[in-house]
Amino acid sequence: NAGVTQTPKFQVLKTGQSMTLQCAQDMNHEYMSWYRQDPGMGLRLIHYSVGAGITDQGEVPNGYNVSRSTTEDFPLRLLSAAPSQTSVYFCASSNAPGIEAFFGQGTRLTVV
Amino acid sequence: DQQVKQNSPSLSVQEGRISILNCDYTNSMFDYFLWYKKYPAEGPTFLISISSIKDKNEDGRFTVFLNKSAKHLSLHIVPSQPGDSAVYFCAARGYNNNDMRFGAGTRLTVKP
């Protein structure tokens, strides 16, 4: 049982580059979300989805796009990377929003 | 604005003693609270939760207490074990169920 799988685990980008962080879950959860973790800030919600075709913004959405074409996948796109987006990114899924969630192992992103 | 605050960045206790991790919140609309544990290079894992209609919830060695009037919750671990050494995040769910807010985390070290 894989749970929530994130790829890649590490990534270095140059300022202005774009990339997609992948997230897949095999638990048939409707709710998926993306967080970033920064020192002293905890986890902050970027975007979330309550089901295929439905997405919405969280606390810090600027500079990121998401889509949800299937129940399993919820990719996060960085449109034009900036050093302020250097962070650890976590994808999570759950049966419903705001309850116990399963997290992926994280993607450590560095933008230089 | 940090609506969920964990004011102690770190805590160190001896094996077998009690660990008490604290969390304060400012938004009276939060109605569900969760604790997550995070080991290095892993995603957070759910530990225990409590609804705002309760003031205590127990699960084995872990107990969460909620004081709504003080907007304060705490996690008690008894007895503490070296394997409990991790970063603990407090999280709160807003009234619209999609607004999850996390504290900055407390690093617990349990010494043998």
Side-chain angles (χ1 to χ4, degrees), chain A:
Chain A
N1 187 0
V4 178
T5 302
Q6 286 184 238
T7 55
K9 286 189 170 52
F10 302 94
Q11 182 71 48
V12 179
L13 286 180
K14 293 183 178 179
T15 297
Q17 285 185 317
S18 62
M19 80 158 295
T20 299
L21 279 63
Q22 302 291 344
C23 176
Q25 52 95 6
D26 61 2
M27 296 171 282
N28 204 33
H29 287 161
E30 290 295 328
Y31 184 78
M32 297 185 74
S33 52
W34 276 101
Y35 292 87
R36 58 179 289 173
Q37 183 193 4
D38 301 295
M41 301 290 289
L43 284 80
R44 291 183 292 168
L45 182 63
I46 304 171
H47 284 285
Y48 64 91
S49 169
V50 299
I54 306 170
T55 64
D56 207 344
Q57 297 180 353
E59 188 183 355
V60 287
N62 293 340
Y64 307 95
N65 267 358
V66 292
S67 60
R68 185 94 179 271
S69 55
T70 67
T71 300
E72 295 79 19
D73 300 299
F74 190 43
L76 178 73
R77 297 183 187 83
L78 279 71
L79 309 173
S80 177
S84 61
Q85 294 178 303
T86 293
S87 187
V88 180
Y89 292 84
F90 290 100
C91 178
S93 75
S94 58
N95 282 322
I99 64 169
E100 301 80 0
F102 293 82
F103 282 82
Q105 286 195 313
T107 296
R108 184 175 292 276
L109 175 69
T110 302
V111 183
V112 298

Side-chain angles (χ1 to χ4, degrees), chain A residues 31 35 37-38 40-45 48 50 56 59 90 97-106, chain B residues 1-2 32 34 36 38 41-46 49 89 93 96-105:
Chain A
Y31 184 78
Y35 292 87
Q37 183 193 4
D38 301 295
M41 301 290 289
L43 284 80
R44 291 183 292 168
L45 182 63
Y48 64 91
V50 299
D56 207 344
E59 188 183 355
F90 290 100
I99 64 169
E100 301 80 0
F102 293 82
F103 282 82
Q105 286 195 313
Chain B
D1 64 333
Q2 275 205 291
Y32 194 70
L34 307 93
Y36 286 87
K38 185 183 178 304
E42 294 184 11
T45 55
F46 169 74
S49 62
F89 290 100
R93 182 184 72 184
N96 67 357
N97 291 349
N98 295 327
D99 188 12
M100 286 291 294
R101 299 295 176 116
F102 281 78

